[in-house]
Amino acid sequence: MKSEHPLGIPTASSAAVLEAHEDQGRTVSRFDRWLLRRVMQAAGNPPIHAALWDDIDSYVPDGHSYGRIVFRNRSVLLGLMKAPELAFGDAFSEGQIDLEGDPVELLTRCFGTANDLGPTGFKRSIFGRLPTAETNTTAGSKRHIHHHYDLGNDFYKLWLDEKMVYTCAYYPRPDATLEEAQIAKMDHVCRKVRLEPGQTVVEAGCGWGSLALHMARNFGVKVRAFNISAEQIAFARERAEREGLTDQVEFVADDYRNVSGTYDAFVSVGMLEHVGANHFDQLGEVVRRSLKPDGIGLIHSIGRNQAMAVNEWLEKRIFPGSYPPSLREMMSIFENRFSVLDIENIRLHYAKTLIEWLDRFDRNADTIRTMYDEPFIRAWRLYLGGCAASFISGTLQLFQVVFTHAANNNVALTREHLYPSAGTNDTTPTSTHTWQQFD
Amino acid sequence: MKSEHPLGIPTASSAAVLEAHEDQGRTVSRFDRWLLRRVMQAAGNPPIHAALWDDIDSYVPDGHSYGRIVFRNRSVLLGLMKAPELAFGDAFSEGQIDLEGDPVELLTRCFGTANDLGPTGFKRSIFGRLPTAETNTTAGSKRHIHHHYDLGNDFYKLWLDEKMVYTCAYYPRPDATLEEAQIAKMDHVCRKVRLEPGQTVVEAGCGWGSLALHMARNFGVKVRAFNISAEQIAFARERAEREGLTDQVEFVADDYRNVSGTYDAFVSVGMLEHVGANHFDQLGEVVRRSLKPDGIGLIHSIGRNQAMAVNEWLEKRIFPGSYPPSLREMMSIFENRFSVLDIENIRLHYAKTLIEWLDRFDRNADTIRTMYDEPFIRAWRLYLGGCAASFISGTLQLFQVVFTHAANNNVALTREHLYPSAGTNDTTPTSTHTWQQFD
């Protein structure tokens, strides 16, 4: 029985999930086993065991095995040959596929062997797909963002950090907590754009408002923060009230493209993935007219080493309209406008962040079950675990790009100011040498 | 009287230089003044005075003036309308154009107003030109490199730092000396590729050998350093002998494309400008097969914000076959092979470096005059000053790109290790946190 699922998963009733398990009694034929081997081959022969609904390993990897995948009926196998990414995700959500073992480790190894196929092999495999045009017009973006970020603040509260920062954290030490790492990320961003008291900042895509409030509270700046997620903006405004920062931070329920005025800094953390490569030139224009002559911009985004379509299941069920661009594609934002000053790739920080989110999600699974159904929960675990695996296997990157108007010579001499004295927790803005002689 | 000039400047005799001044007595016509105004307009109306051979200002800028240009005959003006970059450089070398005032300031301001024309205006101006194909085959490269780098070590000794480092220095503090800044640059490079004692390094384009010797001496690594400049390699080998490092550093008189074996680090400082964008994929392949699975690469190169031809005079007279690529173009080296970990733009460090070189060149001009003629000296001053101006005006950039195999997870947590404790001159390798859990 199909129902209106918040993620759009085709079947969402528990009855459908139970039905899927009925094949378990059915005999496994030679054709089924052949299909399985074809599927595993198309995936690059990953180092895991694979079984059909008879629960007998029909595929055994050479060398070490990092887990096991079980296919509960034949139509799943056929679906995987046709539209592998979408079919895998939906089938897993519905319980037609199960993973045994640590899901992050298992998926990491699968992505790893797919990467080893090389660029041509990867593109021909079930993982590769050509980029398709997104529909991130002002209206389209609003629908896309609503699909994900308006799922409910109570839901997100259960597994994000206490400040509700839904982007890659930054771990200055491997043993930092998620809370410490999110604060460190916000400080890192603020230092990169060299915030000083009294300056003004425009933030494009402000989430639940943590970064905007952090900038105002810790660095003494005024912020105008844009977001088209109604739920997030409402939450952010309440926080500004509670923290007494309404005179410093203005949360605007609008698309970043409608920003006006000029600012000392432009900041966009975890928003570019929702823009789409065909809108990068437009974004570049918006930033160009919004940044003061010696202003500094920062874009923090998931990215790729080379252009490749986003995972089809992720794009349909979790983040519609999303596209993680290659560094080359990102240059469309900056060329003929800005100089790129600094690019940092913190890919593995996102892996650690996602593993922490997944862990908190698991620990609160019972509570989440009162909000959403089993397919939702399975889908979310696949999303968090699969993304962690993507970062660990090097399939996804995380770029922080710092830039400024090409003619601006009021730039820091070095990046030393990003790294305050070792051994202290000093987060006050550090002074920066600049090029007096060229300014 | 034409002679075989080391830089290929068409006229090199003092007689020709004197002849050029003969127009000084000739009457300046209305057509000449019109021509002058057209030239200044095509250059974007720069903020300097301009005079013809009557030494009377025929062009006066609005607002502040940063110097004065004098055109000594009509054919110069005509030449500038036809092939502006080449004509300007040759005419200046021959004394047919003079600059009054600080040449770096003057040229910076001229480049600045040209940049303000915007990308389309700049390209249509006398400064813009489409990229042309280089001829950096193995044979072609050898000729190109010989043209510049074999001009004579005694010549270069007079104005480079004492270690003969002919690339952009790195100033950790604004008041560092050139010598300190070149050492700081070498340390910076070594820290970026995280050198450890006992490791092996391949260096592509090693100049007079300073970096290779520095890596061996200070970081305890073995280096195989490639260079196709015969003069430079001879010098480097002598230094290795003198410093007792012949068992650690091998200087190879060969093209980097012939490297074999695998190494812990690949380093290329000031070489990419000589490769040409059409060879980037080939370079990427060479590095890919040369770098161990957890090896780190670093490419330090002059670059652009967006693709544009190199200055025609610079390419014909100073650096034949050279091409400073845009960041976008550089991605051809990395895509489908590597992850970019870190990009740092130290553009203004090169401005400061070049100003220091020009200053030392000027202080040793009399000695240089015993080696080379007046047009050579004028050309070299225009080259050093014009490049400084290019960096200050944001026409050129300096990128240090750090990269590694896409599957390598043995990467530093942060970039903190690049910035040892403030206030010390500690240059010993700093320990780095890495991602134990993902390695």
Side-chain angles (χ1 to χ4, degrees):
Chain A
M1 193 160 44
K2 277 193 163 47
S3 52
E4 181 75 39
H5 195 278
L7 300 182
I9 297 170
T11 50
S13 68
S14 306
V17 172
L18 285 170
E19 263 182 67
H21 287 267
E22 271 179 27
D23 265 2
Q24 257 170 277
R26 218 167 288 170
T27 316
V28 167
S29 72
R30 269 216 319 235
F31 174 67
D32 296 319
R33 279 191 238 282
W34 176 87
L35 254 186
L36 174 64
R37 285 194 303 274
R38 284 285 295 114
V39 166
M40 298 309 275
Q41 188 181 40
N45 293 317
I48 58 175
H49 286 77
L52 296 165
W53 46 95
D54 57 0
D55 208 34
I56 294 168
D57 292 331
S58 293
Y59 171 92
V60 178
D62 303 323
H64 188 81
S65 176
Y66 294 93
R68 190 167 185 258
I69 186 169
V70 184
F71 302 94
R72 302 231 174 263
N73 58 57
R74 179 187 296 167
S75 60
V76 165
L77 292 172
L78 293 166
L80 284 172
M81 297 306 292
K82 265 188 7 187
E85 291 177 345
L86 186 59
F88 180 88
D90 282 345
F92 180 84
S93 304
E94 294 155 19
Q96 301 191 49
I97 291 175
D98 270 316
L99 298 176
E100 295 171 9
D102 176 66
V104 174
E105 166 102 86
L106 188 154
L107 290 167
T108 299
R109 297 290 170 173
C110 290
F111 293 156
T113 46
N115 286 341
D116 289 344
L117 298 174
T120 319
F122 191 97
K123 286 196 169 115
R124 288 208 201 105
S125 82
I126 64 173
F127 291 100
R129 213 165 52 90
L130 290 169
T132 54
E134 301 84 26
T135 50
N136 291 319
T137 57
T138 319
S141 295
K142 200 155 185 182
R143 279 196 314 275
H144 294 157
I145 296 307
H146 172 75
H147 177 98
H148 189 92
Y149 296 100
D150 287 342
L151 283 170
N153 299 337
D154 288 340
F155 164 66
Y156 283 105
K157 263 186 210 165
L158 289 171
W159 52 274
L160 289 175
D161 71 304
E162 64 183 23
K163 286 189 184 287
M164 302 272 279
V165 184
Y166 193 12
T167 48
C168 174
Y170 173 74
Y171 293 80
R173 300 170 324 277
D175 60 344
T177 65
L178 180 64
E179 271 68 22
E180 289 169 341
Q182 290 296 8
I183 290 170
K185 183 267 293 310
M186 294 190 281
D187 280 336
H188 200 47
V189 165
C190 292
R191 290 193 187 108
K192 283 184 172 181
V193 295
R194 289 173 55 212
L195 294 184
E196 286 172 30
Q199 287 190 330
T200 58
V201 183
V202 54
E203 185 183 7
C206 64
W208 283 280
S210 292
L211 180 57
L213 296 167
H214 182 94
M215 290 194 279
R217 190 191 315 109
N218 292 36
F219 290 83
V221 299
K222 279 178 138 63
V223 187
R224 187 172 285 163
F226 288 75
N227 193 343
I228 55 178
S229 157
E231 293 253 355
Q232 288 185 322
I233 279 284
F235 184 92
R237 284 174 175 160
E238 276 171 44
R239 286 177 70 182
E241 282 271 0
R242 257 185 290 124
E243 295 176 31
L245 289 166
T246 48
D247 56 333
Q248 274 184 267
V249 184
E250 181 192 357
F251 287 109
V252 184
D254 201 358
D255 192 286
Y256 70 93
R257 286 169 277 204
N258 295 325
V259 66
S260 63
T262 59
Y263 304 80
D264 295 293
F266 171 92
V267 168
S268 180
V269 177
M271 196 273 294
L272 188 73
E273 305 91 324
H274 299 290
V275 172
N278 54 334
H279 291 282
F280 282 177
D281 193 48
Q282 182 187 34
L283 168 64
E285 244 332 275
V286 170
V287 182
R288 191 197 56 74
R289 61 171 175 75
S290 306
L291 211 53
K292 287 182 183 173
D294 60 357
I296 303 178
L298 181 147
I299 290 177
H300 158 130
S301 173
I302 300 169
R304 296 265 203 199
N305 291 334
Q306 53 278 327
M308 188 177 293
V310 68
N311 179 285
E312 193 181 3
W313 176 77
L314 198 78
E315 200 274 336
K316 281 201 152 54
R317 306 295 179 223
I318 312 292
F319 286 118
S322 65
Y323 180 72
S326 67
L327 255 190
R328 183 195 290 265
E329 290 175 307
M330 287 177 73
M331 292 300 134
S332 302
I333 302 167
F334 311 112
E335 287 193 337
N336 298 305
R337 296 184 183 98
F338 302 114
S339 284
V340 169
L341 299 178
D342 176 21
I343 299 182
E344 185 178 12
N345 186 348
I346 54 172
R347 157 174 77 92
L348 292 172
H349 291 257
Y350 219 156
K352 190 164 167 71
T353 306
L354 282 151
I355 286 168
E356 300 247 5
W357 288 340
L358 179 59
D359 184 56
R360 294 177 185 214
F361 185 94
D362 284 343
R363 287 192 269 116
N364 288 287
D366 288 340
T367 313
I368 297 169
R369 261 183 203 96
T370 68
M371 303 172 173
Y372 290 109
D373 60 11
E374 196 62 27
F376 182 101
I377 285 163
R378 289 177 67 91
W380 212 260
R381 296 188 74 250
L382 177 64
Y383 147 53
L384 294 176
C387 285
S390 294
F391 286 106
I392 300 170
S393 64
T395 314
L396 289 178
Q397 316 297 321
L398 196 302
F399 297 116
Q400 284 193 346
V401 184
V402 183
F403 57 95
T404 189
H405 287 291
N408 178 28
N409 284 353
N410 182 8
V411 295
L413 210 78
T414 74
R415 303 178 304 194
E416 193 177 6
H417 62 286
L418 301 181
Y419 305 99
S421 307
T424 72
N425 281 322
D426 187 2
T427 58
T428 54
T430 51
S431 65
T432 330
H433 287 302
T434 53
W435 289 99
Q436 310 273 16
Q437 68 180 109
F438 298 130
D439 196 10
Chain B
M1 191 162 45
K2 277 191 163 50
S3 52
E4 182 74 40
H5 195 278
L7 300 183
I9 297 171
T11 48
S13 68
S14 303
V17 173
L18 284 169
E19 264 185 67
H21 288 268
E22 270 178 28
D23 266 4
Q24 258 171 274
R26 216 168 287 169
T27 314
V28 167
S29 73
R30 269 213 323 229
F31 174 66
D32 296 318
R33 280 191 237 282
W34 176 84
L35 254 186
L36 174 63
R37 285 196 303 275
R38 285 285 294 115
V39 165
M40 299 309 275
Q41 190 181 39
N45 294 315
I48 58 175
H49 286 76
L52 295 165
W53 47 94
D54 57 0
D55 208 34
I56 294 169
D57 291 332
S58 294
Y59 171 92
V60 178
D62 303 324
H64 189 80
S65 176
Y66 295 93
R68 191 166 182 259
I69 186 169
V70 184
F71 302 94
R72 302 232 175 263
N73 58 55
R74 183 187 293 167
S75 60
V76 165
L77 292 173
L78 292 167
L80 284 172
M81 297 304 291
K82 269 192 359 194
E85 289 178 347
L86 185 59
F88 181 87
D90 283 344
F92 181 84
S93 304
E94 296 155 17
Q96 300 190 49
I97 291 176
D98 271 312
L99 298 175
E100 297 170 8
D102 175 65
V104 174
E105 166 104 84
L106 188 155
L107 289 167
T108 299
R109 297 291 171 173
C110 289
F111 293 157
T113 47
N115 285 342
D116 288 344
L117 298 174
T120 320
F122 191 96
K123 287 199 168 114
R124 286 207 202 106
S125 80
I126 64 174
F127 292 100
R129 214 164 50 90
L130 292 169
T132 54
E134 299 85 26
T135 49
N136 291 317
T137 56
T138 320
S141 294
K142 199 154 186 183
R143 277 194 319 270
H144 294 156
I145 296 307
H146 171 75
H147 177 99
H148 189 92
Y149 296 98
D150 287 343
L151 284 169
N153 299 337
D154 289 340
F155 164 66
Y156 282 106
K157 265 186 208 164
L158 288 171
W159 52 275
L160 290 175
D161 71 305
E162 64 183 24
K163 286 188 183 287
M164 302 271 281
V165 183
Y166 193 13
T167 48
C168 174
Y170 172 75
Y171 292 81
R173 300 169 324 276
D175 60 344
T177 65
L178 180 64
E179 271 69 22
E180 289 169 341
Q182 290 295 9
I183 291 169
K185 182 268 293 309
M186 294 191 281
D187 280 337
H188 201 47
V189 165
C190 292
R191 290 193 188 109
K192 283 184 171 181
V193 295
R194 289 172 56 212
L195 294 184
E196 285 172 31
Q199 287 189 330
T200 59
V201 181
V202 53
E203 184 183 9
C206 65
W208 284 281
S210 292
L211 179 57
L213 296 168
H214 183 94
M215 290 195 278
R217 189 191 315 111
N218 293 36
F219 289 83
V221 299
K222 277 179 140 62
V223 185
R224 187 171 286 163
F226 288 75
N227 192 343
I228 53 177
S229 158
E231 292 254 357
Q232 289 185 323
I233 281 283
F235 184 91
R237 284 173 174 161
E238 276 170 42
R239 286 176 71 180
E241 283 272 0
R242 256 184 290 127
E243 296 177 31
L245 289 167
T246 48
D247 57 334
Q248 274 183 267
V249 183
E250 180 192 358
F251 287 109
V252 183
D254 200 1
D255 192 285
Y256 71 93
R257 287 169 277 203
N258 296 326
V259 67
S260 63
T262 60
Y263 303 80
D264 295 293
F266 171 92
V267 167
S268 180
V269 177
M271 196 273 293
L272 189 71
E273 305 90 325
H274 299 291
V275 172
N278 54 332
H279 291 281
F280 282 178
D281 193 47
Q282 182 187 32
L283 168 63
E285 245 331 276
V286 170
V287 182
R288 190 196 57 73
R289 61 171 174 74
S290 305
L291 210 52
K292 287 183 182 172
D294 61 357
I296 303 178
L298 181 147
I299 290 177
H300 157 129
S301 173
I302 300 169
R304 296 267 203 197
N305 290 333
Q306 52 277 327
M308 188 177 293
V310 67
N311 180 285
E312 192 179 5
W313 176 77
L314 199 79
E315 201 272 338
K316 281 201 152 55
R317 306 296 178 222
I318 312 291
F319 286 117
S322 64
Y323 180 73
S326 67
L327 256 189
R328 184 195 290 264
E329 290 174 308
M330 287 176 73
M331 292 300 135
S332 303
I333 303 166
F334 312 113
E335 287 193 337
N336 298 304
R337 296 184 183 96
F338 301 114
S339 285
V340 168
L341 298 178
D342 177 21
I343 298 181
E344 184 178 14
N345 186 349
I346 54 172
R347 156 173 77 91
L348 292 172
H349 292 258
Y350 219 156
K352 191 165 167 69
T353 305
L354 282 150
I355 285 168
E356 300 247 6
W357 288 342
L358 180 58
D359 185 55
R360 293 177 186 214
F361 185 93
D362 284 343
R363 286 192 269 116
N364 289 286
D366 288 340
T367 312
I368 297 170
R369 266 186 197 93
T370 67
M371 303 171 170
Y372 290 110
D373 61 12
E374 196 63 27
F376 181 102
I377 285 164
R378 289 177 67 91
W380 212 260
R381 295 187 75 250
L382 177 65
Y383 147 52
L384 294 177
C387 285
S390 294
F391 286 106
I392 300 169
S393 64
T395 314
L396 289 177
Q397 316 296 321
L398 196 301
F399 297 116
Q400 283 194 346
V401 184
V402 182
F403 57 95
T404 189
H405 288 291
N408 177 28
N409 284 354
N410 182 7
V411 295
L413 210 78
T414 73
R415 304 177 303 193
E416 192 176 18
H417 61 288
L418 302 180
Y419 305 99
S421 305
T424 71
N425 282 323
D426 186 5
T427 57
T428 54
T430 51
S431 66
T432 330
H433 286 302
T434 54
W435 289 99
Q436 310 273 19
Q437 68 181 107
F438 297 130
D439 196 7

